[in-house]
Amino acid sequence: MCVRCDRITDAPVVVAEVHQNSGPGFNVYACLECAPGFPPVPDVLELFGGPCEDGRERGEREE
C-alpha cells in the first residue's frame, strides 16, 4: 500500500527504511506515481564513511 495515497499497488517502490532499537525494522512503500515525490533512500555506508570535517578518518584519534 502506498504511504502517500493509500492505494494498493502491484509495483511498490521502497521510499524509506525504518530502523528499530529492538526487533526488526521495516520498509515504507509508495506507488510508482507517488515515489518520485520522496527523497532517495540514503546508503547506510555513505552516511558513516569517509573523513570527518577536520580531515581525519572516522575513529582516528588526535595525538
Side-chain angles (χ1 to χ4, degrees):
M1 185 166 78
C2 178
V3 69
R4 181 170 283 164
C5 68
D6 296 329
R7 289 186 295 165
I8 302 296
T9 177
D10 290 330
V13 178
V14 175
V15 294
E17 296 174 347
V18 179
H19 300 279
Q20 301 287 328
N21 287 336
S22 62
F26 59 93
N27 293 330
V28 178
Y29 297 95
C31 64
L32 289 174
E33 292 81 22
C34 293
F38 289 90
V41 177
D43 183 0
V44 175
L45 297 176
E46 290 178 6
L47 293 176
F48 298 108
C52 294
E53 290 179 7
D54 63 1
R56 292 181 291 141
E57 289 294 321
R58 297 200 183 278
E60 189 178 318
R61 294 184 182 197
E62 229 179 304
E63 292 187 30

